[in-house]
Amino acid sequence: MLGGTSESRVLAQALECEAGIDVVTSLAGRVEAPTLPAGTVRVGGFGGVEGLVSWIAAHETDVIVDATHPFAATMTTTASTAASAAGIRLVRLSRPEWVPGLGDTWLPASSVAEAARLVESNFDRAFLTIGRQEVAAFAAVTSTWFLVRSIDTPEGPLPSNHRLELARGPFDAEEETATMRRHRIDVVVSKNSGGAMTEAKLLAARQLGLPVVMIARPPAVSCDVSVESVSEVLCWLRSRDSGAR
Ligand code: NAP
């Protein structure tokens, strides 16, 4: 299982009690103190498609569950190519996207770079909650002040006018509303990650009537089965286990 998400941890825990299925969860090793899943864990990149194909052979793997974050596009593409090359099945577990509620103002962005352009031309005080890897796309924006929040220190340069807050979710809507009020935020910038862990910022934006620049997910890649929940992966694995293999 390719992990790094709360869903992958729930799935790893459930599979601990599942007879006949041995699971290894793989983490990229990006977060300094990751929340470790139950069971066997390996850490670090595989070395691209070739490396993953070798790992699959060396560990007699017969299924990959890609439970990585919806924005982990490189790993997801690698998993798809490697599964085809190795002739094994690939299940993609990707949580449902967030959708705007009644009265929400979402400004869609097809990339982080487009989000930076939208913020620069329209807003003064942005709450930037896109993780730590792509904050540098906003570094050249000098006309906007940013509240940057991530779990670990962002990679690369930060915008010149910013405050950095290191924090790990889940957050609640009341806290998020207070944060946005305190910093006089006029726009929230988010990836469309989906999930309950970080949804509170959207509830707070709704409550305050703030617009959200929402960065779209990368395109889906080819897989054998694509599901949105842990229970669907479990069902699929069990049905394979009881005869389809
Ligand atoms: P990425 O850009 O798609 O992947 C870059 C490289 O990191 C991959 O080519 C692979 O290296 C390695 N890698 C990524 N996920 C891995 C995994 N689960 N196990 C082993 N190697 C992995 O990935 P990313 O966006 O940096 O995400 C890294 C991890 O953080 C993933 O596990 C993801 O679920 C988690 N995460 C990402 C985000 C996000 O917004 N992107 C948010 C929360 C959690 P090799 O080519 O050497 O194999």
Side-chain angles (χ1 to χ4, degrees):
M1 170 155 53
L2 303 168
T5 54
S6 51
E7 292 79 15
S8 68
R9 289 189 288 276
V10 173
L11 184 55
Q13 185 66 57
L15 288 171
E16 273 286 278
C17 321
E18 203 73 31
I21 303 179
D22 295 324
V23 187
V24 177
T25 300
S26 175
L27 302 178
R30 296 279 157 70
V31 176
E32 266 170 38
T35 313
L36 288 176
T40 309
V41 177
R42 68 164 296 285
V43 181
F46 295 95
V49 172
E50 229 175 85
L52 182 52
V53 169
S54 305
W55 195 95
I56 288 166
H59 295 81
E60 298 175 21
T61 309
D62 54 9
V63 176
I64 298 180
V65 178
D66 177 1
T68 56
H69 190 271
F71 281 81
T74 307
M75 189 68 250
T76 289
T77 304
T78 298
S80 175
T81 313
S84 300
I88 66 168
R89 310 291 298 276
L90 171 65
V91 186
R92 173 66 171 139
L93 166 60
S94 194
R95 60 179 89 129
E97 290 191 313
W98 290 316
V99 289
L102 202 64
D104 285 350
T105 307
W106 281 18
L107 309 176
S110 58
S111 64
V112 179
E114 190 188 346
R117 284 193 293 276
L118 276 170
V119 170
E120 182 170 35
S121 30
N122 296 293
F123 300 102
D124 296 323
R125 297 181 69 82
F127 187 17
L128 190 56
T129 61
I130 59 165
R132 70 184 183 90
Q133 291 189 51
E134 291 173 282
V135 175
F138 293 79
V141 180
T142 52
S143 53
T144 308
W145 179 88
F146 290 89
L147 174 63
V148 180
R149 185 175 69 199
S150 55
I151 297 177
D152 290 321
T153 307
E155 283 169 14
L158 291 167
S160 47
N161 303 312
H162 78 271
R163 176 188 164 88
L164 175 62
E165 280 188 4
L166 299 182
R168 189 196 293 265
F171 306 99
D172 75 45
E174 239 172 77
E175 261 178 285
E176 296 288 60
T177 305
T179 300
M180 291 180 200
R181 278 214 175 100
R182 187 163 59 251
H183 295 289
R184 294 177 288 114
I185 295 299
D186 63 4
V187 67
V188 176
V189 186
S190 173
K191 289 176 170 173
N192 197 335
S193 301
M197 285 262 284
T198 53
E199 195 182 15
K201 62 190 168 189
L202 302 180
L203 305 178
R206 181 175 304 158
Q207 198 173 329
L208 295 169
L210 295 180
V212 177
V213 170
M214 187 59 81
I215 302 163
R217 291 182 177 189
V221 301
S222 146
C223 61
D224 295 291
V225 186
S226 177
V227 297
E228 292 189 334
S229 68
V230 167
S231 56
E232 288 169 283
V233 182
L234 281 170
C235 277
W236 186 81
L237 288 171
R238 283 176 189 145
S239 67
R240 270 181 57 81
D241 212 42
S242 59
R245 209 174 269 171

